[in-house]
Amino acid sequence: MDFTFDEEQRLAAQSLRELLNDHCQGSDLRRAANARDLPSFEAACATRRARLAELGLAGALVPAEQGGLGLGVVDFVLLAEEAGRAALPEPLVDVEGVAHPLLATLGELGESTLQETLVGSALVLSAAPGTTVLANAAFAQYLLLSRRDDELALYRASDISLTHRESVDPLRRLSEVALHDAKPIARVTGATTSSAWQAARARSTVLNAAQLLGLGARMLEIAVAYSLERKQFGKAIGSNQAVKHALADVMVKLEFARPVVYAAAATLAPVRVAHAAVAAAEAADRAARAAIQVHGAMGYSWEVDLQFYAKRAWALAGLNGGRSAQFAAVHQSLLRGELEAQWA
Amino acid sequence: MAIDLQYTPKQHALRAEARAWLEANVPREPLPSYDTAEGFEAHRHWETKLHSDRWSMVTWPQEYGGRGLDLIEWLIFEEEYYRVDAPGRVNQNGVFLFGPILMEYGTPEQKSRFLPRLASGADIWAQVWSEPQAGSDLAALRTTAIRDGDDYVINGHKIWSTRAVYADWGFGLFRTDGASERHRGLSYVVVPLRTPGVTVRGIPQLDGESGFAEIFFENARVPVANRIGDEGRGWSIAMATAGFERGLMLRSPARFQRTAQRLIELYRREELTRREQQTAPIDPGVAATVTQCWMDAEAYALSTYMTASRLIAGGSIGAEASLNKIFWSELDLSMHRAALAILGARAELRGLAGVEGVALAKAADEATRWMDGFLFSLAGPIYAGANEIQRNIIADRVLGMPKG
Ligand SMILES: Cc1cc2nc3c(=O)[nH]c(=O)nc-3n(C[C@H](O)[C@H](O)[C@H](O)COP(=O)(O)OP(=O)(O)OC[C@H]3O[C@@H](n4cnc5c(N)ncnc54)[C@H](O)[C@@H]3O)c2cc1C
């Protein structure tokens, strides 16, 4: 029993943080958010994309014998948290945390595509059965999709009907995905496929929870900084106890969601994963509300960068069934008498 | 080392050993409340028993009767302890608060004088910090211990001292420099509670029992040898009590996981009954709270394992102490409120005495346990540093917000 991250895991997160400090500041996000069309959006993100590609995270969760790094979700969870902290527009988590390892389950059928996407000459994303809207699909060359849980199919993005949709988050470029009668370039069916989808959903849920943790922590930082800077009645607003306690409560929420997310990443146990989704969404939501309140009218304006983090949090909180479905999953376990402490 | 949430064979073995011992030794019937004379002695006896097989203070070094276990092993022991609903620890102050202070700051003479009797339960210790005018603002305390030859002469009034009605000794802060103010001029002194000049008067708590007491000092004399650490350095020693282990050890997660488990059992039983009797189901809001409570109890446990791992790896405890205090006290309250909501009209039933018919007696018993737990959970946000003060600490010292 050892609930600490190792040096390597922390260093990887540290280097991502440094990169994002340089290339994913509020001003960088704003430039992308103000982009009028896809090419100017891509131009605003180009440097960061190039730097991210140099970080060597491609295939992080793909088995080593298939050309990946062979890491586990727990090795990736701090990276996802950093992506959240920065409201990173690029789908690092969706690709490396979800789609790449899913593509790897296709084995030989997906091998050539995997080689292409691992070297970065193409991008692959996945959308679990039942998903109709997918972020960043407009940038992808390959998509892993299906209508059914027991089928996993790889498509060329150009064969799929993708319609641009707006998100409340100006940095999430959504596409409505319609399969129609597109022909997959590879396809598998059967029980192992269902479990591959299930695993992909679990990874996506945990890693989005980690992003929510990062987003919440960032919003708390922004709120604290503003509370020191903004003066009313001749003193910093942050010296008022009502403001202090609101932010202290956010910290409590965040710090008790954190171990749940990490444990979910380490075990991938379904109840832990659902719990992580609930706790992280709740904490990030509380952080967003408190941070906006602390900013006064500024918080309601387009002007402050806070909006990027808050909107990302609201968007992520709804994915994979959203908070209420995850809560219901925990509650169902309770009804079935499955919820006990390990030692009970 | 990377995150590994599996127990090692050694940890499994410790769990098995603790489980076997507890199952063989835990009293079959719950002991009477330790806020009664009879119950206090029964609990003291239990402490002696724990001590005789070195289960009393498992994290203490072997030389003082402990097992030298690390914090994760302590968590495992606590899980086993709560699993069998073992008696409340009447020796909690001694084991978790005073003992560690004595080991760090006490002289060899003080250690040999106090530690063995503390360990065996021969002496039960009370904390004597608060005064009528010094609660959250402890540095406003006024009780003096003025030097007179080889003695301190103590005058003043302490209050809210848990278990002091029957305890043997107290440890706390006294003003050894009568002219001093605030944090200066305070010393950490231990006082026998049954000595001339000391009057202990029980204060009934919300449940009617005298769980705490006020203590009047009128020219009570204690030897200078009762001072722990240097004169005038009491504040920083006392803060060490409030800091490190306390933030972690005051309330172990197993306690709340056990309560959450009882809450879930209550919920499921009630659901079944209502379905059988075709009455209205439990309010969905209450049902959601039960689920939330389970999640929060797990979160607290995971958080404690994370902190313990970090401490074992050489880290130190910081903000966790204040975060923990807020989290567990609110969780405890929430669990008990949910239980009372499920019990509905049964919740107010008290005790067994004179109740006819087994069914109602059982219901009354169960209701009493939840109601007593609820009453006690109301104190959680107040004692050991009120939650408002903890929020101030988080804001000022962790988030770096300006002092008000
Ligand atoms: C069950 C129980 C057991 C106890 N056991 C012991 C014991 O063994 N030994 C011992 O010495 N003491 C003990 N205490 C006392 C405990 O330490 C004090 O109750 C606590 O420190 C609060 O002090 P107070 O009661 O004087 O409340 P006050 O300090 O008067 O506070 C009253 C209210 O005002 C709030 N408040 C005060 N100052 C501020 C501020 N600056 N900002 C915001 N809000 C503020 C508090 O949070 C609280 O809600 C016990 C108390 C209880 C309830």
Side-chain angles (χ1 to χ4, degrees):
Chain A
M1 170 72 68
D2 179 13
F3 204 168
T4 50
F5 287 98
D6 64 25
E7 186 75 358
E8 225 170 304
Q9 291 163 334
R10 278 185 307 231
L11 284 178
Q14 183 60 32
S15 46
L16 179 58
R17 179 178 294 206
E18 283 163 15
L19 187 159
L20 298 177
N21 277 344
D22 291 340
H23 299 286
C24 202
Q25 282 304 329
S27 50
D28 302 305
L29 297 176
R30 192 163 290 274
R31 219 169 326 113
N34 289 340
R36 288 219 167 70
D37 49 22
L38 200 58
S40 50
F41 184 91
E42 295 207 80
C45 301
T47 318
R48 185 176 54 250
R49 288 183 179 184
R51 290 289 104 77
L52 277 172
E54 291 160 14
L55 210 54
L57 292 173
L61 304 194
V62 171
E65 53 288 4
Q66 288 175 276
L69 305 180
L71 300 176
V73 175
V74 72
D75 302 300
F76 202 75
V77 69
L78 293 180
L79 294 164
E81 196 177 329
E82 292 303 328
R85 259 190 72 80
L88 177 67
E90 282 67 43
L92 176 70
V93 168
D94 294 334
V95 175
E96 299 308 343
V98 187
H100 260 165
L102 188 60
L103 178 57
T105 64
L106 281 177
E108 281 180 13
L109 291 177
E111 197 181 322
S112 63
T113 309
L114 186 60
Q115 294 323 315
E116 232 183 293
T117 58
L118 284 183
V119 298
S121 48
L123 182 75
V124 62
L125 284 167
S126 61
T131 318
T132 48
V133 173
L134 181 61
N136 297 302
F139 308 121
Q141 283 71 39
Y142 295 100
L143 295 172
L144 286 157
L145 303 169
S146 175
R147 290 199 183 86
R148 315 189 325 245
D149 246 7
D150 62 353
E151 177 203 67
L152 173 60
L154 176 65
Y155 294 88
R156 235 178 279 284
S158 53
D159 294 342
I160 304 270
S161 150
L162 298 173
T163 316
H164 177 70
R165 298 286 179 232
E166 296 286 336
S167 163
V168 66
D169 175 351
L171 300 160
R172 272 171 74 79
R173 304 201 57 104
L174 303 180
S175 297
E176 189 173 342
V177 182
L179 271 174
H180 300 305
D181 42 25
K183 294 267 171 302
I185 46 179
R187 177 173 173 272
V188 286
T189 55
T192 52
T193 314
S194 310
S195 56
W197 276 123
Q198 215 166 30
R201 272 204 196 88
R203 290 194 303 272
S204 169
T205 308
V206 174
L207 296 173
N208 279 339
Q211 293 200 75
L212 285 163
L213 270 187
L215 286 158
R218 183 63 171 269
M219 288 188 272
L220 178 59
E221 266 173 36
I222 293 173
V224 169
Y226 188 75
S227 83
L228 297 181
E229 175 193 310
R230 170 73 174 165
K231 292 203 169 54
Q232 283 293 280
F233 300 101
K235 59 180 189 185
I237 57 166
S239 57
N240 294 297
Q241 216 170 47
V243 175
K244 288 184 180 187
H245 287 196
L247 298 184
D249 282 337
V250 169
M251 182 164 189
V252 171
K253 283 275 178 208
L254 281 167
E255 293 313 310
F256 284 93
R258 185 179 303 285
V260 179
V261 174
Y262 296 162
T267 64
L268 295 173
V271 171
R272 290 247 187 268
V273 170
H275 181 186
V278 173
E282 173 72 20
D285 183 56
R286 283 284 283 270
R289 275 162 53 196
I292 289 172
Q293 184 68 18
V294 164
H295 278 74
M298 269 300 198
Y300 191 65
S301 76
W302 188 264
E303 163 116 12
V304 295
D305 295 337
L306 178 60
Q307 61 148 324
F308 298 128
Y309 308 94
K311 288 171 177 172
R312 181 67 51 81
W314 297 326
L316 294 184
L319 301 182
N320 300 304
R323 184 166 29 168
S324 68
Q326 303 290 356
F327 192 96
V330 181
H331 189 68
Q332 286 307 314
S333 305
L334 178 146
L335 290 179
R336 288 195 299 268
E338 294 167 0
L339 294 193
E340 284 199 336
Q342 260 187 61
W343 45 268
Chain B
M1 284 288 284
I3 291 186
D4 176 8
L5 299 184
Q6 303 295 314
Y7 293 105
T8 64
K10 183 166 165 255
Q11 288 165 341
H12 278 300
L14 171 72
R15 184 185 293 286
E17 190 189 351
R19 185 170 292 191
W21 189 88
L22 286 163
E23 282 178 349
N25 289 284
V26 159
R28 295 277 163 266
E29 290 295 313
L31 303 180
S33 157
Y34 53 45
D35 296 333
T36 63
E38 181 207 0
F40 197 88
E41 287 317 307
H43 280 81
R44 188 200 293 272
H45 183 73
W46 166 245
E47 291 291 341
T48 308
K49 186 157 193 158
L50 279 170
H51 172 67
S52 65
D53 286 321
R54 294 190 303 124
W55 291 113
S56 173
M57 43 277 299
V58 295
T59 56
W60 284 24
Q62 306 241 4
E63 55 172 316
Y64 298 126
R67 290 172 178 250
L69 299 189
D70 67 25
L71 287 171
I72 293 207
E73 293 165 325
W74 170 71
L75 287 168
I76 293 169
F77 171 71
E78 289 282 299
E79 287 163 358
E80 292 307 312
Y81 197 86
Y82 282 96
R83 183 179 164 271
V84 292
D85 288 327
R89 299 294 305 269
V90 75
N91 204 6
Q92 160 137 352
N93 291 334
V95 177
F96 296 121
L97 303 178
F98 183 56
I101 287 289
L102 200 54
M103 286 179 224
E104 185 167 348
Y105 297 95
T107 62
E109 295 75 41
Q110 287 174 327
K111 288 183 201 173
S112 56
R113 184 173 157 213
F114 295 120
L115 277 177
R117 291 182 59 81
L118 185 163
S120 70
D123 290 337
I124 300 292
W125 288 77
Q127 304 186 66
V128 288
W129 316 105
S130 304
E131 297 182 8
Q133 299 310 322
S136 297
D137 185 11
L138 186 60
L141 71 90
R142 292 185 198 155
T143 301
T144 52
I146 303 300
R147 187 128 182 194
D148 180 29
D150 288 336
D151 288 341
Y152 284 120
V153 179
I154 307 184
N155 278 287
H157 181 187
K158 294 283 185 180
I159 197 167
W160 314 128
S161 183
T162 298
R163 290 193 277 286
V165 179
Y166 304 106
D168 307 286
W169 282 82
F171 56 93
L173 281 181
F174 297 84
R175 209 165 273 290
T176 41
D177 174 356
S180 67
E181 291 199 9
R182 308 295 302 163
H183 314 82
R184 286 185 207 88
L186 301 175
S187 298
Y188 193 108
V189 177
V190 301
V191 291
L193 295 177
R194 319 285 146 207
T195 204
V198 178
T199 308
V200 178
R201 201 162 72 197
I203 307 176
Q205 297 181 323
L206 216 46
D207 64 0
E209 288 183 353
S210 293
F212 45 33
E214 53 190 334
I215 308 171
F216 299 91
F217 296 93
E218 286 168 290
N219 294 318
R221 296 187 87 89
V222 301
V224 168
N226 281 18
R227 191 191 68 231
I228 312 293
D230 295 339
E231 193 167 273
R233 295 266 299 131
W235 184 262
S236 60
I237 299 174
M239 288 307 110
T241 315
F244 178 60
E245 310 254 290
R246 176 162 204 177
L248 201 67
M249 297 184 114
L250 177 64
R251 289 287 178 259
S252 65
R255 175 189 182 118
F256 305 107
Q257 288 178 295
R258 178 76 186 109
T259 308
Q261 200 185 344
R262 283 176 47 227
L263 176 62
I264 291 171
E265 282 161 16
L266 175 68
Y267 173 85
R268 297 186 69 217
R269 223 181 324 119
E270 180 73 14
E271 267 289 310
L272 202 66
T273 311
R274 293 194 189 190
R275 224 174 310 136
E276 280 166 9
Q277 297 176 349
Q278 300 189 349
T279 49
I282 296 174
D283 167 58
V286 175
T289 306
V290 174
T291 302
Q292 187 66 51
C293 287
W294 178 83
M295 291 195 284
D296 288 347
E298 283 296 300
Y300 183 57
L302 291 168
S303 159
T304 309
Y305 270 101
M306 204 163 95
T307 307
S309 298
R310 225 199 40 242
L311 292 175
I312 290 169
S316 59
I317 192 163
E320 291 92 335
S322 292
L323 295 165
N324 282 354
K325 170 68 210 312
I326 294 172
F327 195 78
W328 65 248
S329 59
E330 291 184 352
L331 164 62
D332 201 32
L333 201 44
S334 177
M335 289 194 288
H336 286 91
R337 292 182 63 217
L340 297 187
I342 293 169
L343 289 170
R346 278 171 288 157
E348 64 172 324
L349 281 172
R350 297 297 287 174
L352 278 167
V355 180
E356 297 238 340
V358 180
L360 195 52
K362 268 200 175 140
D365 229 15
E366 179 169 52
T368 305
R369 189 168 174 202
W370 281 114
M371 182 58 84
D372 283 345
F374 168 65
L375 295 179
F376 188 58
S377 75
L378 287 166
I382 300 170
Y383 63 73
N387 285 10
E388 289 74 17
I389 304 302
Q390 307 297 350
R391 290 187 173 93
N392 289 347
I393 293 173
I394 294 168
D396 294 353
R397 300 197 204 147
V398 187
L399 298 177
M401 297 172 76
K403 286 237 159 36

